[in-house]
Amino acid sequence: MAALLLAGCQKQVSVDPLRRSVVDGLNKEAFVNRYREPDSCIALSERALRYIADSLPEYVDGELRARNNMAFAYYQKSDAAEAGHMLDYVDKIVSLRNPAMSNGDIELVISKLIRARLLQRDCRIADSYRLLYNINQSGVLERSRGKLLYDYAQAEYYITMLVLNYHYRDGKDDDVHSLLAEVEERRPQLKVDYAQDMALNYALAYGWQSAGESGVALDYCEDNFDILERPGAFCMYHYANTLQMMASALKSTPGSTSPDSVLDLYDAARVAFFEYGDPYQMLGGVTSTARYALLIGDTLKAHEVLSEWRSMRGTWKPFSAPKMEVGYFDVIIRSRLAANPDEVRVWYEHRAELQEYIARNEREDFALQQTLITAQRRSRWMAYTAVGFGVLAVALLALSALLWLAARRLRREKQQLEEAKRRDVERIANVETTLSVLRHDVNPFMGYLSRADLAPELRDEVLQQLLRTFDNIKNWTSLSIPSGLAFNRSNFPLQEVFDDVQRQVLSPSAGVSLHFVPTMLHVTGDKLLVIILLRNLINNALQHTSAGSVTVSARSDGEMVDIMVSDTGSGMNAEQVEALFRADRTLPEGSEHGFGLILCRYIIKKHDDMTRRGCRIWAESAVGRGTTMHVRLSS
């Protein structure tokens, strides 16, 4: 198969077959080593080019293949200048349209795909997308499907699209799931060799992980490990990538693996990237390992890997990777590794420059997408206008449009009916729980207020508690009704929320302390709703803590912010924890929680619906050991 790939996709013009076989053999071996040993790939390609120059100058396809092999290998080594030099050669050779050239169109597509990868690393995502869009519009990839050089280019096209949408665009496109579905559908046709299979598996795993499907990502990781165990298929680059992806997927699956095991996977990937030698991947390994070490509180490990990189970075050739470098500066700033304020200031300045560069390119990409959308609309309008020249065509078009609109209206009405039915069923199912919780929360206060001997100060406190309960009920009903409480999205400092909540919560009882850990983090969401949520969690913790403390803190993994409210109270059993935020079941006997926590659940659902970033709330508790409430919001 590889021999066919490197010999070309069409019948070759008259070239000495014996000499051509020498070039094809060198190119084949270089291609096989493109991921495994980039230096070997470059050396073999250079030998092929020298042989062509000395003995076979008419073999243009052989030269194109050798230069594309070299360009890909230099990309793997993060040598953008040399890779670009090789790609310029390919562009120049194809532009001459030598009649002896059979594979010029597909080799030009492959060179554009490599250039698109280089542009992505430099965060020039608009320029990268232009190349990918032009490739798609050219139709070259569809002309000879089933031939290996075209299948290789097709696989590279999808890998590059997946990386663009899920890494450099953070999966923000509205149509990203359709891209995954398209790749999954064509997956059986994109078979080239073990290395390409693993590269496509990794790209799919990254896409599904970014889409919140960690289980699917882990399945692709397992597929890669199966391939790596086959004779002659092991590749340090793919091994390291797969380890890092598995760590990322397991990190997103709470309870599946211990934090230390996940850190070990990140560190093993980092070591493998160092052995492979690509500085871009090495920086990625260092950043991922240090970020996760800080997340789980292992500052010593974070300092170790960051210090090792800082001691080595001067030995590497410079390379452009703004997004990766921003991640590195984020981690090294948060690690507090430097004692010298001037050095920290330089880090902040570098990060700000890179962030502005990335933002500028993101704005350019957004403008490009809007231009393409406008062009597509204009193109459709022109097509409809052309159809209008024929009366029969106009009639058929109008009829088709009416049928389409009717079908869409019927589908929309069906969806609305189904959604209304679902809401009705949910409301009916929640009536018993709602009444139970209402009775549970209000009855104690009514009992207190009916006592004639109740002290005035205690009566005021009970009234305040009752007012807070009715406020929670009002907010809960507003949130649970689709046309209810508005969601005012913004990005705000979490410390402002801490300060507001600290002034609003209950006063701790004697022997109990309330502590807010200062934070510099920002949160994206509705500030008022976050205040209501946090106030309820803290009040609940204070009410069930008779001695000790209630501590409020926050941490971030760079994408999401975790807020923790920890108390030293009586704790809960597994049944109580499981039913804690459930509005669809009766509270277990002895539970001390009501509308306040159900309201918290609705607030988190509102944030997840509005941000689509995986916002959630959960509890960790054990009887007699206190409780920690976790709130995960978008940063």
Side-chain angles (χ1 to χ4, degrees), residues 433-477:
T433 298
T434 303
L435 294 175
S436 172
V437 175
L438 180 61
R439 184 180 65 251
H440 174 278
D441 279 7
V442 173
N443 277 355
F445 301 124
M446 300 305 296
Y448 272 109
L449 292 173
S450 64
R451 289 171 51 183
D453 59 343
L454 191 65
E457 60 271 17
L458 185 55
R459 180 180 296 273
D460 289 341
E461 179 66 18
V462 170
L463 285 172
Q464 288 301 317
Q465 292 271 23
L466 187 58
L467 287 174
R468 276 191 284 269
T469 297
F470 282 121
D471 187 59
N472 281 339
I473 294 171
K474 181 197 70 175
N475 288 329
W476 177 73
T477 54

mmCIF file of all heavy atoms in Angstrom, residues 433-477:
data_model
loop_
_atom_site.group_PDB
_atom_site.id
_atom_site.type_symbol
_atom_site.label_atom_id
_atom_site.label_comp_id
_atom_site.label_asym_id
_atom_site.label_seq_id
_atom_site.Cartn_x
_atom_site.Cartn_y
_atom_site.Cartn_z
ATOM 1 N N THR A 433 -43.113 16.659 45.545
ATOM 2 C CA THR A 433 -41.859 17.106 46.148
ATOM 3 C C THR A 433 -41.936 18.572 46.541
ATOM 4 O O THR A 433 -41.478 18.982 47.615
ATOM 5 C CB THR A 433 -40.696 16.896 45.160
ATOM 6 O OG1 THR A 433 -40.596 15.504 44.907
ATOM 7 C CG2 THR A 433 -39.390 17.394 45.755
ATOM 8 N N THR A 434 -42.537 19.400 45.673
ATOM 9 C CA THR A 434 -42.640 20.828 45.967
ATOM 10 C C THR A 434 -43.409 21.082 47.262
ATOM 11 O O THR A 434 -42.980 21.847 48.134
ATOM 12 C CB THR A 434 -43.336 21.547 44.798
ATOM 13 O OG1 THR A 434 -42.602 21.303 43.608
ATOM 14 C CG2 THR A 434 -43.413 23.039 45.056
ATOM 15 N N LEU A 435 -44.556 20.411 47.396
ATOM 16 C CA LEU A 435 -45.357 20.595 48.609
ATOM 17 C C LEU A 435 -44.624 20.069 49.844
ATOM 18 O O LEU A 435 -44.660 20.664 50.918
ATOM 19 C CB LEU A 435 -46.703 19.874 48.454
ATOM 20 C CG LEU A 435 -47.635 20.458 47.356
ATOM 21 C CD1 LEU A 435 -48.866 19.594 47.225
ATOM 22 C CD2 LEU A 435 -48.007 21.894 47.672
ATOM 23 N N SER A 436 -43.914 18.929 49.647
ATOM 24 C CA SER A 436 -43.174 18.351 50.763
ATOM 25 C C SER A 436 -42.074 19.289 51.247
ATOM 26 O O SER A 436 -41.913 19.532 52.445
ATOM 27 C CB SER A 436 -42.565 17.007 50.340
ATOM 28 O OG SER A 436 -41.713 16.515 51.331
ATOM 29 N N VAL A 437 -41.331 19.859 50.270
ATOM 30 C CA VAL A 437 -40.243 20.766 50.636
ATOM 31 C C VAL A 437 -40.785 22.050 51.253
ATOM 32 O O VAL A 437 -40.246 22.585 52.227
ATOM 33 C CB VAL A 437 -39.380 21.081 49.400
ATOM 34 C CG1 VAL A 437 -38.321 22.117 49.739
ATOM 35 C CG2 VAL A 437 -38.715 19.813 48.888
ATOM 36 N N LEU A 438 -41.904 22.556 50.704
ATOM 37 C CA LEU A 438 -42.506 23.769 51.244
ATOM 38 C C LEU A 438 -42.920 23.551 52.704
ATOM 39 O O LEU A 438 -42.637 24.377 53.577
ATOM 40 C CB LEU A 438 -43.713 24.151 50.389
ATOM 41 C CG LEU A 438 -44.478 25.412 50.801
ATOM 42 C CD1 LEU A 438 -43.558 26.629 50.744
ATOM 43 C CD2 LEU A 438 -45.688 25.616 49.907
ATOM 44 N N ARG A 439 -43.587 22.429 52.965
ATOM 45 C CA ARG A 439 -43.985 22.120 54.345
ATOM 46 C C ARG A 439 -42.756 21.966 55.239
ATOM 47 O O ARG A 439 -42.708 22.462 56.367
ATOM 48 C CB ARG A 439 -44.810 20.838 54.367
ATOM 49 C CG ARG A 439 -45.355 20.474 55.758
ATOM 50 C CD ARG A 439 -46.184 19.189 55.739
ATOM 51 N NE ARG A 439 -45.371 18.050 55.405
ATOM 52 C CZ ARG A 439 -45.446 17.390 54.256
ATOM 53 N NH1 ARG A 439 -46.297 17.779 53.325
ATOM 54 N NH2 ARG A 439 -44.682 16.350 54.014
ATOM 55 N N HIS A 440 -41.735 21.295 54.695
ATOM 56 C CA HIS A 440 -40.516 21.022 55.458
ATOM 57 C C HIS A 440 -39.810 22.310 55.862
ATOM 58 O O HIS A 440 -39.318 22.455 56.978
ATOM 59 C CB HIS A 440 -39.599 20.151 54.596
ATOM 60 C CG HIS A 440 -38.241 19.893 55.191
ATOM 61 N ND1 HIS A 440 -37.220 20.802 55.087
ATOM 62 C CD2 HIS A 440 -37.778 18.837 55.890
ATOM 63 C CE1 HIS A 440 -36.156 20.320 55.703
ATOM 64 N NE2 HIS A 440 -36.471 19.136 56.184
ATOM 65 N N ASP A 441 -39.757 23.302 54.905
ATOM 66 C CA ASP A 441 -38.996 24.537 55.164
ATOM 67 C C ASP A 441 -39.769 25.547 56.019
ATOM 68 O O ASP A 441 -39.183 26.317 56.770
ATOM 69 C CB ASP A 441 -38.603 25.195 53.829
ATOM 70 C CG ASP A 441 -37.367 24.535 53.248
ATOM 71 O OD1 ASP A 441 -36.917 23.520 53.785
ATOM 72 O OD2 ASP A 441 -36.863 25.075 52.251
ATOM 73 N N VAL A 442 -41.110 25.553 55.857
ATOM 74 C CA VAL A 442 -41.891 26.610 56.520
ATOM 75 C C VAL A 442 -42.379 26.203 57.904
ATOM 76 O O VAL A 442 -42.434 27.027 58.829
ATOM 77 C CB VAL A 442 -43.083 27.017 55.613
ATOM 78 C CG1 VAL A 442 -44.004 27.984 56.339
ATOM 79 C CG2 VAL A 442 -42.564 27.635 54.322
ATOM 80 N N ASN A 443 -42.733 24.921 58.086
ATOM 81 C CA ASN A 443 -43.342 24.485 59.362
ATOM 82 C C ASN A 443 -42.509 24.839 60.598
ATOM 83 O O ASN A 443 -43.054 25.289 61.611
ATOM 84 C CB ASN A 443 -43.606 22.978 59.326
ATOM 85 C CG ASN A 443 -44.922 22.682 58.616
ATOM 86 O OD1 ASN A 443 -45.663 23.589 58.241
ATOM 87 N ND2 ASN A 443 -45.217 21.403 58.410
ATOM 88 N N PRO A 444 -41.168 24.610 60.579
ATOM 89 C CA PRO A 444 -40.394 24.952 61.790
ATOM 90 C C PRO A 444 -40.534 26.425 62.185
ATOM 91 O O PRO A 444 -40.649 26.758 63.370
ATOM 92 C CB PRO A 444 -38.967 24.599 61.407
ATOM 93 C CG PRO A 444 -39.104 23.581 60.337
ATOM 94 C CD PRO A 444 -40.315 23.966 59.569
ATOM 95 N N PHE A 445 -40.513 27.319 61.164
ATOM 96 C CA PHE A 445 -40.617 28.739 61.479
ATOM 97 C C PHE A 445 -42.005 29.079 62.064
ATOM 98 O O PHE A 445 -42.136 29.882 62.998
ATOM 99 C CB PHE A 445 -40.374 29.579 60.222
ATOM 100 C CG PHE A 445 -39.024 29.344 59.610
ATOM 101 C CD1 PHE A 445 -38.909 28.945 58.280
ATOM 102 C CD2 PHE A 445 -37.867 29.519 60.350
ATOM 103 C CE1 PHE A 445 -37.673 28.729 57.722
ATOM 104 C CE2 PHE A 445 -36.634 29.303 59.785
ATOM 105 C CZ PHE A 445 -36.528 28.903 58.482
ATOM 106 N N MET A 446 -43.052 28.470 61.494
ATOM 107 C CA MET A 446 -44.393 28.734 61.995
ATOM 108 C C MET A 446 -44.547 28.253 63.431
ATOM 109 O O MET A 446 -45.212 28.885 64.268
ATOM 110 C CB MET A 446 -45.436 28.040 61.091
ATOM 111 C CG MET A 446 -45.395 28.514 59.636
ATOM 112 S SD MET A 446 -45.575 30.297 59.445
ATOM 113 C CE MET A 446 -47.249 30.525 60.069
ATOM 114 N N GLY A 447 -43.905 27.119 63.734
ATOM 115 C CA GLY A 447 -43.937 26.605 65.101
ATOM 116 C C GLY A 447 -43.296 27.572 66.077
ATOM 117 O O GLY A 447 -43.813 27.827 67.177
ATOM 118 N N TYR A 448 -42.138 28.110 65.694
ATOM 119 C CA TYR A 448 -41.466 29.087 66.555
ATOM 120 C C TYR A 448 -42.326 30.336 66.762
ATOM 121 O O TYR A 448 -42.495 30.840 67.878
ATOM 122 C CB TYR A 448 -40.129 29.494 65.932
ATOM 123 C CG TYR A 448 -38.968 28.605 66.321
ATOM 124 C CD1 TYR A 448 -38.406 27.745 65.385
ATOM 125 C CD2 TYR A 448 -38.426 28.640 67.609
ATOM 126 C CE1 TYR A 448 -37.352 26.921 65.716
ATOM 127 C CE2 TYR A 448 -37.374 27.818 67.942
ATOM 128 C CZ TYR A 448 -36.826 26.956 67.009
ATOM 129 O OH TYR A 448 -35.778 26.162 67.345
ATOM 130 N N LEU A 449 -42.881 30.864 65.655
ATOM 131 C CA LEU A 449 -43.614 32.122 65.743
ATOM 132 C C LEU A 449 -44.901 31.984 66.569
ATOM 133 O O LEU A 449 -45.419 32.973 67.111
ATOM 134 C CB LEU A 449 -43.965 32.624 64.334
ATOM 135 C CG LEU A 449 -42.759 33.061 63.487
ATOM 136 C CD1 LEU A 449 -43.189 33.382 62.068
ATOM 137 C CD2 LEU A 449 -42.090 34.286 64.121
ATOM 138 N N SER A 450 -45.467 30.773 66.674
ATOM 139 C CA SER A 450 -46.703 30.574 67.442
ATOM 140 C C SER A 450 -46.461 30.523 68.952
ATOM 141 O O SER A 450 -47.400 30.535 69.736
ATOM 142 C CB SER A 450 -47.386 29.284 66.976
ATOM 143 O OG SER A 450 -46.558 28.171 67.271
ATOM 144 N N ARG A 451 -45.201 30.483 69.357
ATOM 145 C CA ARG A 451 -44.888 30.419 70.789
ATOM 146 C C ARG A 451 -45.002 31.815 71.413
ATOM 147 O O ARG A 451 -44.373 32.769 70.930
ATOM 148 C CB ARG A 451 -43.487 29.867 70.988
ATOM 149 C CG ARG A 451 -43.379 28.361 70.662
ATOM 150 C CD ARG A 451 -41.952 27.882 70.665
ATOM 151 N NE ARG A 451 -41.255 28.271 71.906
ATOM 152 C CZ ARG A 451 -39.967 28.012 72.137
ATOM 153 N NH1 ARG A 451 -39.262 27.366 71.226
ATOM 154 N NH2 ARG A 451 -39.418 28.379 73.275
ATOM 155 N N ALA A 452 -45.752 31.890 72.499
ATOM 156 C CA ALA A 452 -45.947 33.185 73.163
ATOM 157 C C ALA A 452 -44.713 33.640 73.912
ATOM 158 O O ALA A 452 -44.499 34.837 74.129
ATOM 159 C CB ALA A 452 -47.150 33.098 74.122
ATOM 160 N N ASP A 453 -43.873 32.673 74.331
ATOM 161 C CA ASP A 453 -42.716 33.031 75.157
ATOM 162 C C ASP A 453 -41.459 33.272 74.325
ATOM 163 O O ASP A 453 -40.363 33.322 74.847
ATOM 164 C CB ASP A 453 -42.443 31.907 76.166
ATOM 165 C CG ASP A 453 -42.180 30.574 75.473
ATOM 166 O OD1 ASP A 453 -42.532 30.451 74.274
ATOM 167 O OD2 ASP A 453 -41.603 29.673 76.106
ATOM 168 N N LEU A 454 -41.594 33.387 72.995
ATOM 169 C CA LEU A 454 -40.429 33.558 72.130
ATOM 170 C C LEU A 454 -39.827 34.953 72.328
ATOM 171 O O LEU A 454 -40.536 35.967 72.255
ATOM 172 C CB LEU A 454 -40.829 33.375 70.664
ATOM 173 C CG LEU A 454 -39.682 33.268 69.664
ATOM 174 C CD1 LEU A 454 -38.867 32.009 69.920
ATOM 175 C CD2 LEU A 454 -40.245 33.251 68.245
ATOM 176 N N ALA A 455 -38.537 35.014 72.610
ATOM 177 C CA ALA A 455 -37.848 36.290 72.838
ATOM 178 C C ALA A 455 -37.905 37.156 71.581
ATOM 179 O O ALA A 455 -37.847 36.627 70.469
ATOM 180 C CB ALA A 455 -36.404 36.046 73.229
ATOM 181 N N PRO A 456 -37.983 38.483 71.714
ATOM 182 C CA PRO A 456 -38.097 39.371 70.546
ATOM 183 C C PRO A 456 -36.937 39.203 69.560
ATOM 184 O O PRO A 456 -37.135 39.195 68.350
ATOM 185 C CB PRO A 456 -38.118 40.774 71.161
ATOM 186 C CG PRO A 456 -38.639 40.563 72.551
ATOM 187 C CD PRO A 456 -38.132 39.236 72.987
ATOM 188 N N GLU A 457 -35.666 39.111 70.106
ATOM 189 C CA GLU A 457 -34.540 38.980 69.189
ATOM 190 C C GLU A 457 -34.580 37.663 68.417
ATOM 191 O O GLU A 457 -34.228 37.603 67.224
ATOM 192 C CB GLU A 457 -33.202 39.121 69.941
ATOM 193 C CG GLU A 457 -32.978 38.073 71.033
ATOM 194 C CD GLU A 457 -33.543 38.503 72.399
ATOM 195 O OE1 GLU A 457 -34.372 39.447 72.401
ATOM 196 O OE2 GLU A 457 -33.158 37.916 73.415
ATOM 197 N N LEU A 458 -35.055 36.597 69.103
ATOM 198 C CA LEU A 458 -35.166 35.305 68.409
ATOM 199 C C LEU A 458 -36.295 35.352 67.384
ATOM 200 O O LEU A 458 -36.194 34.787 66.297
ATOM 201 C CB LEU A 458 -35.412 34.178 69.429
ATOM 202 C CG LEU A 458 -35.425 32.758 68.856
ATOM 203 C CD1 LEU A 458 -34.144 32.468 68.085
ATOM 204 C CD2 LEU A 458 -35.619 31.735 69.971
ATOM 205 N N ARG A 459 -37.414 36.071 67.747
ATOM 206 C CA ARG A 459 -38.517 36.198 66.802
ATOM 207 C C ARG A 459 -38.059 36.938 65.529
ATOM 208 O O ARG A 459 -38.405 36.553 64.409
ATOM 209 C CB ARG A 459 -39.668 36.964 67.456
ATOM 210 C CG ARG A 459 -40.896 37.155 66.546
ATOM 211 C CD ARG A 459 -41.998 37.925 67.287
ATOM 212 N NE ARG A 459 -42.481 37.151 68.427
ATOM 213 C CZ ARG A 459 -43.435 36.245 68.352
ATOM 214 N NH1 ARG A 459 -44.008 35.993 67.184
ATOM 215 N NH2 ARG A 459 -43.837 35.585 69.424
ATOM 216 N N ASP A 460 -37.220 37.974 65.704
ATOM 217 C CA ASP A 460 -36.696 38.706 64.533
ATOM 218 C C ASP A 460 -35.840 37.793 63.667
ATOM 219 O O ASP A 460 -35.896 37.831 62.432
ATOM 220 C CB ASP A 460 -35.882 39.920 64.986
ATOM 221 C CG ASP A 460 -36.778 41.009 65.563
ATOM 222 O OD1 ASP A 460 -38.001 40.992 65.295
ATOM 223 O OD2 ASP A 460 -36.239 41.880 66.267
ATOM 224 N N GLU A 461 -35.002 36.994 64.326
ATOM 225 C CA GLU A 461 -34.140 36.070 63.576
ATOM 226 C C GLU A 461 -34.965 35.060 62.777
ATOM 227 O O GLU A 461 -34.694 34.768 61.614
ATOM 228 C CB GLU A 461 -33.190 35.341 64.533
ATOM 229 C CG GLU A 461 -32.260 34.318 63.871
ATOM 230 C CD GLU A 461 -31.268 34.977 62.939
ATOM 231 O OE1 GLU A 461 -31.054 36.190 63.049
ATOM 232 O OE2 GLU A 461 -30.711 34.260 62.093
ATOM 233 N N VAL A 462 -36.033 34.526 63.437
ATOM 234 C CA VAL A 462 -36.898 33.542 62.761
ATOM 235 C C VAL A 462 -37.601 34.200 61.573
ATOM 236 O O VAL A 462 -37.729 33.608 60.490
ATOM 237 C CB VAL A 462 -37.909 32.950 63.757
ATOM 238 C CG1 VAL A 462 -38.958 32.110 63.027
ATOM 239 C CG2 VAL A 462 -37.196 32.092 64.791
ATOM 240 N N LEU A 463 -38.075 35.430 61.763
ATOM 241 C CA LEU A 463 -38.735 36.127 60.661
ATOM 242 C C LEU A 463 -37.781 36.335 59.485
ATOM 243 O O LEU A 463 -38.162 36.201 58.316
ATOM 244 C CB LEU A 463 -39.283 37.472 61.150
ATOM 245 C CG LEU A 463 -40.562 37.419 62.006
ATOM 246 C CD1 LEU A 463 -40.867 38.777 62.582
ATOM 247 C CD2 LEU A 463 -41.734 36.908 61.165
ATOM 248 N N GLN A 464 -36.527 36.692 59.800
ATOM 249 C CA GLN A 464 -35.529 36.869 58.733
ATOM 250 C C GLN A 464 -35.313 35.558 57.978
ATOM 251 O O GLN A 464 -35.205 35.530 56.750
ATOM 252 C CB GLN A 464 -34.199 37.379 59.318
ATOM 253 C CG GLN A 464 -34.224 38.816 59.786
ATOM 254 C CD GLN A 464 -34.588 39.780 58.658
ATOM 255 O OE1 GLN A 464 -34.099 39.656 57.545
ATOM 256 N NE2 GLN A 464 -35.474 40.734 58.958
ATOM 257 N N GLN A 465 -35.214 34.459 58.742
ATOM 258 C CA GLN A 465 -35.050 33.138 58.118
ATOM 259 C C GLN A 465 -36.246 32.823 57.220
ATOM 260 O O GLN A 465 -36.096 32.287 56.111
ATOM 261 C CB GLN A 465 -34.916 32.059 59.209
ATOM 262 C CG GLN A 465 -33.643 32.143 60.015
ATOM 263 C CD GLN A 465 -32.526 31.332 59.363
ATOM 264 O OE1 GLN A 465 -32.565 31.084 58.178
ATOM 265 N NE2 GLN A 465 -31.545 30.945 60.143
ATOM 266 N N LEU A 466 -37.460 33.112 57.717
ATOM 267 C CA LEU A 466 -38.660 32.830 56.933
ATOM 268 C C LEU A 466 -38.688 33.671 55.653
ATOM 269 O O LEU A 466 -39.055 33.187 54.579
ATOM 270 C CB LEU A 466 -39.902 33.116 57.789
ATOM 271 C CG LEU A 466 -41.249 32.708 57.180
ATOM 272 C CD1 LEU A 466 -41.273 31.228 56.855
ATOM 273 C CD2 LEU A 466 -42.381 33.074 58.124
ATOM 274 N N LEU A 467 -38.274 34.933 55.755
ATOM 275 C CA LEU A 467 -38.217 35.786 54.571
ATOM 276 C C LEU A 467 -37.220 35.238 53.545
ATOM 277 O O LEU A 467 -37.468 35.270 52.342
ATOM 278 C CB LEU A 467 -37.835 37.222 54.974
ATOM 279 C CG LEU A 467 -38.930 38.041 55.688
ATOM 280 C CD1 LEU A 467 -38.371 39.364 56.159
ATOM 281 C CD2 LEU A 467 -40.129 38.258 54.755
ATOM 282 N N ARG A 468 -36.068 34.756 54.033
ATOM 283 C CA ARG A 468 -35.084 34.176 53.111
ATOM 284 C C ARG A 468 -35.656 32.938 52.425
ATOM 285 O O ARG A 468 -35.401 32.687 51.246
ATOM 286 C CB ARG A 468 -33.792 33.838 53.858
ATOM 287 C CG ARG A 468 -32.836 35.024 54.020
ATOM 288 C CD ARG A 468 -31.482 34.587 54.516
ATOM 289 N NE ARG A 468 -31.491 34.266 55.938
ATOM 290 C CZ ARG A 468 -31.220 35.155 56.904
ATOM 291 N NH1 ARG A 468 -30.915 36.401 56.572
ATOM 292 N NH2 ARG A 468 -31.244 34.807 58.162
ATOM 293 N N THR A 469 -36.420 32.142 53.185
ATOM 294 C CA THR A 469 -37.025 30.944 52.593
ATOM 295 C C THR A 469 -38.011 31.330 51.493
ATOM 296 O O THR A 469 -38.002 30.754 50.394
ATOM 297 C CB THR A 469 -37.742 30.120 53.680
ATOM 298 O OG1 THR A 469 -36.786 29.664 54.629
ATOM 299 C CG2 THR A 469 -38.455 28.918 53.062
ATOM 300 N N PHE A 470 -38.881 32.331 51.764
ATOM 301 C CA PHE A 470 -39.828 32.748 50.735
ATOM 302 C C PHE A 470 -39.108 33.384 49.545
ATOM 303 O O PHE A 470 -39.559 33.276 48.392
ATOM 304 C CB PHE A 470 -40.844 33.727 51.321
ATOM 305 C CG PHE A 470 -41.922 33.054 52.135
ATOM 306 C CD1 PHE A 470 -42.126 33.371 53.469
ATOM 307 C CD2 PHE A 470 -42.708 32.073 51.565
ATOM 308 C CE1 PHE A 470 -43.109 32.730 54.208
ATOM 309 C CE2 PHE A 470 -43.684 31.432 52.301
ATOM 310 C CZ PHE A 470 -43.886 31.751 53.639
ATOM 311 N N ASP A 471 -37.979 34.063 49.796
ATOM 312 C CA ASP A 471 -37.184 34.618 48.695
ATOM 313 C C ASP A 471 -36.628 33.500 47.818
ATOM 314 O O ASP A 471 -36.625 33.587 46.589
ATOM 315 C CB ASP A 471 -36.048 35.481 49.266
ATOM 316 C CG ASP A 471 -35.301 36.212 48.158
ATOM 317 O OD1 ASP A 471 -35.929 36.980 47.422
ATOM 318 O OD2 ASP A 471 -34.087 35.999 48.026
ATOM 319 N N ASN A 472 -36.166 32.415 48.466
ATOM 320 C CA ASN A 472 -35.685 31.258 47.699
ATOM 321 C C ASN A 472 -36.804 30.651 46.862
ATOM 322 O O ASN A 472 -36.605 30.245 45.705
ATOM 323 C CB ASN A 472 -35.111 30.189 48.637
ATOM 324 C CG ASN A 472 -33.717 30.527 49.102
ATOM 325 O OD1 ASN A 472 -33.026 31.311 48.459
ATOM 326 N ND2 ASN A 472 -33.282 29.954 50.208
ATOM 327 N N ILE A 473 -38.007 30.537 47.471
ATOM 328 C CA ILE A 473 -39.147 29.968 46.746
ATOM 329 C C ILE A 473 -39.471 30.841 45.529
ATOM 330 O O ILE A 473 -39.708 30.349 44.424
ATOM 331 C CB ILE A 473 -40.372 29.846 47.675
ATOM 332 C CG1 ILE A 473 -40.091 28.814 48.785
ATOM 333 C CG2 ILE A 473 -41.615 29.437 46.890
ATOM 334 C CD1 ILE A 473 -41.144 28.782 49.867
ATOM 335 N N LYS A 474 -39.461 32.171 45.727
ATOM 336 C CA LYS A 474 -39.742 33.083 44.616
ATOM 337 C C LYS A 474 -38.707 32.929 43.503
ATOM 338 O O LYS A 474 -39.051 32.816 42.323
ATOM 339 C CB LYS A 474 -39.744 34.526 45.132
ATOM 340 C CG LYS A 474 -40.053 35.571 44.039
ATOM 341 C CD LYS A 474 -39.643 36.961 44.473
ATOM 342 C CE LYS A 474 -38.123 37.086 44.516
ATOM 343 N NZ LYS A 474 -37.679 38.462 44.827
ATOM 344 N N ASN A 475 -37.420 32.900 43.874
ATOM 345 C CA ASN A 475 -36.366 32.764 42.865
ATOM 346 C C ASN A 475 -36.449 31.419 42.152
ATOM 347 O O ASN A 475 -36.218 31.318 40.948
ATOM 348 C CB ASN A 475 -34.988 32.929 43.516
ATOM 349 C CG ASN A 475 -34.721 34.359 43.915
ATOM 350 O OD1 ASN A 475 -35.192 35.284 43.273
ATOM 351 N ND2 ASN A 475 -33.980 34.553 44.996
ATOM 352 N N TRP A 476 -36.755 30.353 42.921
ATOM 353 C CA TRP A 476 -36.848 29.016 42.320
ATOM 354 C C TRP A 476 -37.960 28.956 41.282
ATOM 355 O O TRP A 476 -37.793 28.436 40.187
ATOM 356 C CB TRP A 476 -37.054 27.976 43.413
ATOM 357 C CG TRP A 476 -37.221 26.589 42.885
ATOM 358 C CD1 TRP A 476 -36.261 25.795 42.363
ATOM 359 C CD2 TRP A 476 -38.439 25.839 42.820
ATOM 360 N NE1 TRP A 476 -36.801 24.591 41.982
ATOM 361 C CE2 TRP A 476 -38.136 24.595 42.245
ATOM 362 C CE3 TRP A 476 -39.749 26.097 43.193
ATOM 363 C CZ2 TRP A 476 -39.094 23.605 42.042
ATOM 364 C CZ3 TRP A 476 -40.700 25.119 42.988
ATOM 365 C CH2 TRP A 476 -40.388 23.900 42.425
ATOM 366 N N THR A 477 -39.123 29.500 41.641
ATOM 367 C CA THR A 477 -40.235 29.468 40.697
ATOM 368 C C THR A 477 -39.934 30.317 39.466
ATOM 369 O O THR A 477 -40.304 29.966 38.345
ATOM 370 C CB THR A 477 -41.539 29.952 41.363
ATOM 371 O OG1 THR A 477 -41.306 31.242 41.943
ATOM 372 C CG2 THR A 477 -41.996 28.991 42.447
#
